[in-house]
Amino acid sequence: MHIVIMGCGRVGSTLAHILEDNGHSVAVIDRDPQAFRRLRAGFRGRRVTGIGFDRDVLEEAGIASAAAFVAVSSGDNSNIISARVAREMFGVDNVVARIYDPRRAEVYQRLGIPTVATVRWTADQILRRVLPEGAEPLWRDPTGTVVLSETAFHQGWIGTRARAIEAVTGARVAFVNRMGEALVPKDTTVIQEGDLLHLVAAENDMDRINKVLSAPPSDEEH
């Protein structure tokens, strides 16, 4: 595939090298020609100096034949505008934009532009390493409203069907880690001793869910 990357910072240059190593052709756009120094000497892709939402610049980068467009410059507005131009003007379906302000993510998602909120993701990774296990979710969507969390449960829930836990908590059991292997629950899946339960739920509902699962189930819930 041919892939166009806007932004030749650490992320953009790393992506360019990985994609080229995997056999793809790559074009990198950056308004600062000095930024291309981050590309290795043997990089075979195109280096295009200019603004990523400029039509002529995009055409020089080969956007007409691109299977994907990635906007990872240091500016949120530039990234989203470039992604929209690539999709709406040149018909590139597979686009993604990096953002620094996760509060904007919901707006971008409504525009149909997948986003990567790098600041929030980085913060989550740090918090997972410095806080007690389970204090931070394993994953959070760009809007910060939905989380995937490894959730502790009372021993009394052992022997309960995963679907029953969903019914009681209102959360979705994404998977169960059983003896080091991930298991996607079926209607017949029963929670066993030693299982690690991974739930997907609204972040603002996690306190209630944790409270429910930290206590033994009632006879009706079991």
Side-chain angles (χ1 to χ4, degrees), residues 10 22-23 76-77 80 83 130 134-135 156 163 165 172 182 188 202 211 216:
R10 284 174 293 180
N22 280 280
D76 284 5
N77 290 334
I80 197 62
V130 300
R163 297 297 184 228
I165 291 177
R172 178 63 59 87
T188 56
K211 185 176 180 180

Side-chain angles (χ1 to χ4, degrees), residues 16-194:
H17 294 152
I18 292 172
L19 289 167
E20 187 174 74
D21 288 343
N22 280 280
H24 303 292
S25 66
V26 183
V28 183
I29 300 170
D30 202 290
R31 65 173 65 197
D32 180 8
Q34 300 299 316
F36 298 124
R37 292 182 177 181
R38 293 188 176 93
L39 297 171
R40 61 194 175 198
F43 180 70
R44 300 184 302 276
R46 306 180 199 176
R47 300 169 175 84
V48 182
T49 302
I51 299 172
F53 48 83
D54 182 274
R55 182 180 184 127
D56 292 336
V57 170
L58 287 168
E59 288 179 342
E60 185 179 348
I63 194 69
S65 61
F69 177 83
V70 180
V72 287
S73 77
S74 59
D76 284 5
N77 290 334
S78 295
N79 287 341
I80 197 62
I81 293 171
S82 299
R84 291 193 66 185
V85 169
R87 169 169 285 177
E88 297 170 13
M89 186 175 293
F90 293 97
V92 181
D93 291 328
N94 192 10
V95 301
V96 62
R98 175 189 188 181
I99 62 170
Y100 289 87
D101 184 357
R103 293 172 298 181
R104 300 181 180 181
E106 186 175 357
V107 176
Y108 297 163
Q109 297 285 10
R110 289 174 183 171
L111 295 173
I113 305 296
T115 59
V116 179
T118 55
V119 173
R120 178 71 260 183
W121 184 88
T122 302
D124 283 347
Q125 297 303 302
I126 294 171
L127 289 170
R128 284 180 56 199
R129 286 162 174 77
V130 300
L131 295 179
E133 184 177 357
E136 270 295 299
L138 303 175
W139 173 87
R140 178 187 279 107
D141 85 301
T143 67
T145 57
V146 178
V147 297
L148 168 66
S149 179
E150 182 181 313
T151 307
F153 57 89
H154 189 277
Q155 290 291 98
W157 291 97
I158 294 174
T160 303
R161 293 178 186 268
R163 297 297 184 228
I165 291 177
E166 291 182 338
V168 171
T169 62
R172 178 63 59 87
V173 179
F175 66 96
V176 175
N177 190 307
R178 181 170 294 169
M179 299 180 67
E181 295 187 1
L183 171 68
V184 177
K186 301 178 181 178
D187 291 340
T188 56
T189 300
V190 172
I191 301 302
Q192 299 180 8
E193 186 172 2

